[in-house]
Amino acid sequence: MAGHLHKSAAEVRASMDSHELFCWSYLLFPPEADDDAPVVLDVDDEIAAWG
């Protein structure tokens, strides 16, 4: 985390690999306890989810 503090948001996004992005996502937005069911998306929804 400390390594990213001197970077802009765009630089951080560009330098993150997918594993680091998923780790941060999990830490910042932990899954809900009752939402253990897997989410099934069609191709268009999955593409939209990646933004």
Side-chain angles (χ1 to χ4, degrees):
M1 181 172 164
H4 293 310
L5 292 177
H6 69 281
K7 296 180 180 181
S8 70
E11 289 174 321
V12 172
R13 277 187 70 191
S15 66
M16 275 192 192
D17 62 5
S18 60
H19 177 72
E20 185 177 5
L21 183 62
F22 281 118
C23 289
W24 277 108
S25 173
Y26 184 80
L27 290 173
L28 295 174
F29 308 103
E32 295 291 324
D34 353 319
D35 194 16
D36 292 333
V39 176
V40 178
L41 301 174
D42 66 6
V43 173
D44 294 331
D45 290 340
E46 188 170 355
I47 292 170
W50 278 92

